[in-house]
Amino acid sequence: MEILRYPNSVLKRPSAALLTVGNEAREMLEKMAETMYSNRGIGLAAPQIGINKQLIVVDIGDGRILRLINPLVLKKEGKEEMEEGCLSVPGIYISIKRPKKIKIKALNENGQEISLEAAGLLARAIMHEIDHLRGKLIMDHINPIKRLRILRKNGYGK
Ligand code: ZN
């Protein structure tokens, strides 16, 4: 699948929660995983392939892939700043403060509710993908003037 890039409007729209988890959702998650791996990403959210549904996949390279549906953050702990990129905004890297540790709940690909604690890069990747489900991109974390400057410098917009 092709990855949508900024400023595609699908990326700015909030995504809808899934009411049921069936084969359709599982197929979407598989397509997303394939697309993430073929682009060497560590995470992907459904809106990045044009689907405004609450589905994310994350694999930070520790041999485990997370497929999460309707993810919800229950707890955040600490703060850590690190530079981030995004497959939908190639060339742009922004330093973003995110929680060091999180606790989330979600549905897995079988529709079962799971809860998960994550720290460090895994927590960051999950938070980044959850941002996508709310229509939020990395540059939405910085002020509009700085944002415009970074976007222009990298050939986005006029
Ligand atoms: Zn992204």
Side-chain angles (χ1 to χ4, degrees), residues 63-120:
R64 179 170 68 144
I65 177 166
L66 294 176
R67 301 175 182 85
L68 304 174
I69 300 162
N70 304 344
L72 198 69
V73 181
L74 301 175
K75 236 164 117 182
K76 301 179 195 175
E77 245 182 82
K79 286 268 181 213
E80 203 165 40
E81 194 164 345
M82 212 178 122
E83 205 162 67
E84 271 178 44
C86 177
L87 293 172
S88 292
V89 204
I92 304 251
Y93 297 91
I94 289 171
S95 200
I96 299 174
K97 260 187 207 152
R98 297 214 189 253
K100 265 188 189 166
K101 280 171 77 179
I102 56 170
K103 187 177 179 189
I104 61 157
K105 68 170 186 177
L107 298 176
N108 66 13
E109 67 271 30
N110 299 314
Q112 294 154 329
E113 191 173 302
I114 53 159
S115 73
L116 179 88
E117 290 189 39

Side-chain angles (χ1 to χ4, degrees), residues 36-158:
M36 171 179 72
Y37 289 127
S38 63
N39 287 277
R40 297 193 173 118
I42 61 168
L44 197 80
Q48 292 182 279
I49 55 165
I51 301 161
N52 276 126
K53 298 242 168 79
Q54 291 185 19
L55 299 159
I56 66 174
V57 292
V58 172
D59 183 346
I60 58 162
D62 61 356
R64 179 170 68 144
I65 177 166
L66 294 176
R67 301 175 182 85
L68 304 174
I69 300 162
N70 304 344
L72 198 69
V73 181
L74 301 175
K75 236 164 117 182
K76 301 179 195 175
E77 245 182 82
K79 286 268 181 213
E80 203 165 40
E81 194 164 345
M82 212 178 122
E83 205 162 67
E84 271 178 44
C86 177
L87 293 172
S88 292
V89 204
I92 304 251
Y93 297 91
I94 289 171
S95 200
I96 299 174
K97 260 187 207 152
R98 297 214 189 253
K100 265 188 189 166
K101 280 171 77 179
I102 56 170
K103 187 177 179 189
I104 61 157
K105 68 170 186 177
L107 298 176
N108 66 13
E109 67 271 30
N110 299 314
Q112 294 154 329
E113 191 173 302
I114 53 159
S115 73
L116 179 88
E117 290 189 39
L121 183 61
L122 184 60
R124 177 169 295 270
I126 293 170
M127 292 304 288
H128 176 114
E129 301 313 329
I130 290 177
D131 271 359
H132 274 297
L133 303 181
R134 296 175 182 148
K136 192 170 181 181
L137 298 171
I138 47 174
M139 60 277 193
D140 295 323
H141 283 268
I142 55 174
N143 77 58
I145 295 167
K146 211 171 155 191
R147 184 190 310 148
L148 206 63
R149 186 158 47 79
I150 290 174
L151 286 172
R152 280 184 180 158
K153 203 173 89 185
N154 288 278
Y156 290 88
K158 289 148 241 138

Side-chain angles (χ1 to χ4, degrees), residues 18-32 46 49 51-53 55 69 109:
L18 264 70
L19 301 176
T20 57
V21 177
N23 286 332
E24 202 191 341
R26 284 188 281 273
E27 277 163 29
M28 279 191 271
L29 287 164
E30 272 335 286
K31 279 184 200 158
M32 288 165 60
I49 55 165
I51 301 161
N52 276 126
K53 298 242 168 79
L55 299 159
I69 300 162
E109 67 271 30

